[in-house]
């Protein structure tokens, strides 16, 4: 893959194509989510369909997608200024969320973990990738965000959530971590990316085929979760939801802009970094919450609200930096 390319005068960096990418991506996602809602509302697939689909996404489709994605990533991007801004801003947002949830709102470790993911884990695949293509004519712009989420945020979150089923000792933690299919898929992809030679593309085709189901199945699961009638037990705590939305839609983009400006990123790279930071909460956070049966309401509502807010936020980003 090539490095970031483009310039402030490139057509791909103007607000028109950028917002076209946003509308197209969100419209496509909305149609699939609506289908999931309809299936859930009518009970077409049965009462246990959403948890089963979430399990398929978690254990099969997402690991296959991550293996092929990471295996073809340019690992040199891990040393770029763009990566530094992406990772540093995400770490700050995650730490703020964790500290406020733990010490301000007195949430449990599991609640803190899901809330932190809802605040910092973005939809880099379904929305970030189309934006990267239209933003700089290069999908590699989304790679730093993807790698940080897969190599840092997800493993730490899974370790905390898995610890609820056993003591937090090094041996069991390592075994539980290495038995997590998403982490395994990411690590295998990372190993393949580091090899001095490339495997034949035919080797990756079965993984691509299975991985292609990850996004639509996750969106269907999200829609089916929205169809569940609301009760007190299935409503996200307002303070937790407000924290996730503010961090996701306001704090993270502003922080990325400040850090990128301080490090002297060129205009097109700064636009890409801020746009990636402005992405909504990933629907995979709901998949993870359903897998561990904790925090589903917050993951669902944060994904919905931040996705709705994504359009006006990205309009501001495009107008200010495009």
């Amino acid at each position: 893959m090539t490095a970031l390319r483009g310039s402030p005068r490139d057509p791909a960096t103007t607000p028109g194509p950028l917002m076209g990418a946003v509308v197209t991506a969100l419209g496509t996602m909305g149609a699939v989510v609506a289908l999931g809602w309809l299936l859930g509302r009518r009970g077409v697939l049965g009462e246990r369909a959403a948890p089963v689909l979430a399990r398929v996404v978690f254990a099969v489709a997402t690991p296959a997608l991550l293996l092929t994605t990471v295996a073809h990533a340019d690992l040199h991007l891990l040393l770029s200024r763009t990566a530094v801004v992406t990772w540093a801003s995400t770490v700050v947002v995650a730490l703020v969320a964790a500290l406020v949830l733990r010490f301000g709102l007195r949430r449990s470790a599991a609640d803190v973990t899901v809330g932190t993911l809802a605040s910092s884990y973005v939809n880099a695949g379904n929305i970030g990738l189309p934006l990267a293509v239209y933003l700089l004519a290069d999908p590699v712009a989304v790679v730093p965000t993807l790698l940080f989420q897969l190599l840092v945020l997800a493993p730490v979150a899974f370790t905390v959530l898995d610890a609820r089923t056993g003591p937090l000792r090094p041996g069991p933690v390592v075994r539980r971590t290495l038995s997590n299919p998403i982490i395994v898929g990411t690590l295998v992809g990372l190993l393949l990316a580091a090899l001095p030679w490339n495997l034949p593309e035919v080797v990756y085709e079965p993984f691509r085929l299975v991985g292609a189901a990850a996004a639509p199945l996750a969106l269907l699961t999200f829609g089916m979760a929205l169809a569940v009638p609301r009760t007190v037990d299935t409503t996200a705590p307002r303070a937790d939801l407000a924290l996730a939305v503010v961090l996701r839609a306001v704090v993270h983009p502003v922080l990325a802009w400040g850090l990128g400006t301080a490090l002297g990123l060129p205009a097109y790279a700064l636009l890409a970094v801020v746009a990636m930071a402005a992405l909504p909460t990933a629907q995979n956070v709901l998949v993870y919450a359903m897998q561990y049966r904790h925090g589903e309401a917050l993951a669902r509502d944060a994904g919905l609200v931040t996705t709705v807010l994504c359009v006006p936020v990205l309009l501001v980003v495009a107008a200010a930096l495009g």
Side-chain angles (χ1 to χ4, degrees), residues 26-216:
L26 291 179
T28 301
M29 290 175 58
V32 180
V33 169
L35 175 60
W37 181 88
L38 183 63
L39 293 174
R41 198 69 173 176
R42 294 182 174 273
V44 174
L45 302 181
E47 294 182 357
R48 297 290 301 167
V52 171
L53 287 179
R55 182 66 180 171
V56 171
V57 174
F58 183 87
V60 183
T62 298
L65 175 64
L66 298 181
L67 187 151
T68 57
T69 300
V70 177
H72 291 81
D74 182 1
L75 298 185
H76 290 93
L77 283 175
L78 301 180
L79 304 177
S80 67
R81 287 183 296 168
T82 299
V84 170
V85 172
T86 297
W87 292 18
S89 61
T90 305
V91 165
V92 171
V93 169
L95 286 176
V96 169
L99 291 173
V100 172
L101 288 167
R102 183 59 175 169
F103 298 107
L105 300 177
R106 303 292 182 181
R107 303 306 188 209
S108 67
D111 285 330
V112 170
T113 302
V114 175
T116 300
L117 287 178
S119 304
S120 59
Y121 202 103
V122 304
N123 196 331
N126 295 320
I127 300 180
L129 187 57
L131 284 185
V133 170
Y134 283 93
L135 207 59
L136 296 172
D138 193 345
V140 79
V142 78
V143 170
T145 299
L146 277 173
L147 289 181
F148 185 77
Q149 294 185 165
L150 301 177
L151 300 179
V152 180
L153 287 183
V156 171
F158 296 152
T159 298
V160 175
L161 292 171
D162 283 333
R164 297 185 303 157
T165 62
L168 194 61
R169 295 196 298 265
V173 166
V174 171
R175 285 194 295 272
R176 284 196 296 263
T177 299
L178 294 180
S179 66
N180 186 294
I182 288 181
I183 295 176
V184 171
T186 303
L187 291 178
V188 172
L190 192 62
L191 176 63
L192 294 174
L195 291 176
W197 64 85
N198 295 322
L199 293 179
E201 286 300 309
V202 67
V203 175
Y204 294 106
E205 287 307 312
F207 296 97
R208 285 198 180 97
L209 182 62
V210 175

Side-chain angles (χ1 to χ4, degrees), residues 298-315:
L298 176 59
R300 177 199 62 210
D301 292 351
L304 177 62
V305 175
T306 58
T307 299
V308 171
L309 291 177
C310 175
V311 173
V313 170
L314 284 170
L315 276 172

Side-chain angles (χ1 to χ4, degrees), residues 253-288:
V254 171
L255 185 59
W257 170 79
L259 290 175
T261 301
L263 290 179
L265 289 183
Y268 61 90
L270 183 62
L271 174 59
V273 167
V274 176
M276 296 300 116
L279 295 174
T281 301
Q283 72 269 7
N284 272 350
V285 175
L286 176 61
V287 171
Y288 302 158

